[in-house]
Amino acid sequence: MVRIILIRHGETTWNVEGRYQGQEDIPLSPKGIAQGKAVGLALKDISIDAAVSGPLSRAFDTCRFITEYHHVNIRVDERITEISHGRWEGVHADEIQKNYPKEFELWHNRPEQVQMPSGESLEDVRKRVRAAFDDYVAIYQGKTLLVAATMRSIKSSSVISWDSAWNISGISNRTMPVSTS
């Protein structure tokens, strides 16, 4: 058996602004850095044998804040990167809603039915992320693995049915309260 600790990256300025990031490499905001350090401190006494991160700096840096306490190298896995939002990347949600009203509505109500304009579908993400997690189960038997990634990658890692995919218990877009004092 493998024990997997899933961590979503900390906040970025685009999270706050309501911009779709997708695979754009947007760094952590000061609050995101504080969140990453807080998670690292919270997990410092948890045994972690190995760490994998998506390739985007927001995931990698969050992972790095945690692994500093565990002295393990971080393996970067391209397969667990965020969904490609295609033409939506860098665009504010209001603009997307105006320019792609049907797709925007579907994205918020039936996201599994959306093919991002010049980007990926959730099924594309599910296939690559699921293959990665299948490999982790084989590679890290008997170990505790830290995986730092993005929201869609984390949720796609355990999707059996798209009908329940966005209601996975304990996984939300909420952020962890962080004291920066």
Side-chain angles (χ1 to χ4, degrees):
M1 185 170 90
V2 178
R3 180 179 179 206
I4 298 176
I5 301 171
L6 294 171
I7 299 293
R8 180 185 181 219
H9 64 81
E11 177 191 272
T12 71
T13 56
W14 281 17
N15 291 138
V16 175
E17 293 172 8
R19 292 189 185 282
Y20 278 61
Q21 297 179 109
Q23 295 179 359
E24 291 293 315
D25 197 8
I26 308 307
L28 296 171
S29 67
K31 182 176 179 180
I33 292 169
Q35 289 169 331
K37 289 180 178 182
V39 171
L41 188 59
L43 294 177
K44 73 179 179 66
D45 295 324
I46 303 295
S47 177
I48 295 175
D49 302 303
V52 176
S53 171
L56 300 173
S57 64
R58 58 189 182 260
F60 186 86
D61 289 345
T62 300
C63 192
R64 185 174 46 83
F65 292 129
I66 299 165
T67 60
E68 285 175 354
Y69 292 97
H70 301 279
H71 309 292
V72 297
N73 292 325
I74 302 169
R75 176 181 157 207
V76 175
D77 190 340
E78 299 283 335
R79 297 174 298 175
I80 62 171
T81 196
E82 180 62 289
I83 188 171
S84 170
H85 284 296
R87 283 183 257 158
W88 291 13
E89 291 186 6
V91 180
H92 194 275
D94 292 342
E95 292 177 58
I96 295 169
Q97 187 174 22
K98 181 178 136 192
N99 295 322
Y100 300 91
K102 181 181 177 186
E103 294 90 343
F104 188 82
E105 177 71 23
L106 275 175
W107 181 244
H108 287 277
N109 295 299
R110 298 296 299 189
E112 73 281 2
Q113 295 178 9
V114 177
Q115 171 67 50
M116 293 293 169
S118 301
E120 291 181 293
S121 70
L122 286 175
E123 184 61 13
D124 296 331
V125 177
R126 186 197 66 78
K127 285 177 183 175
R128 64 177 161 77
V129 171
R130 188 58 197 231
F133 275 79
D134 287 346
D135 287 350
Y136 303 159
V137 169
I139 295 167
Y140 298 105
Q141 276 298 314
K143 308 252 186 231
T144 297
L145 174 66
L146 171 70
V147 177
T150 59
M151 181 60 68
R152 248 79 49 211
S153 295
I154 291 171
K155 287 188 174 186
S156 295
S157 68
S158 59
V159 168
I160 296 167
S161 163
W162 283 116
D163 290 334
S164 61
W166 305 113
N167 295 316
I168 298 172
S169 178
I171 300 177
S172 72
N173 286 317
R174 291 173 293 177
T175 57
M176 183 177 111
V178 173
S179 170
T180 54
S181 57

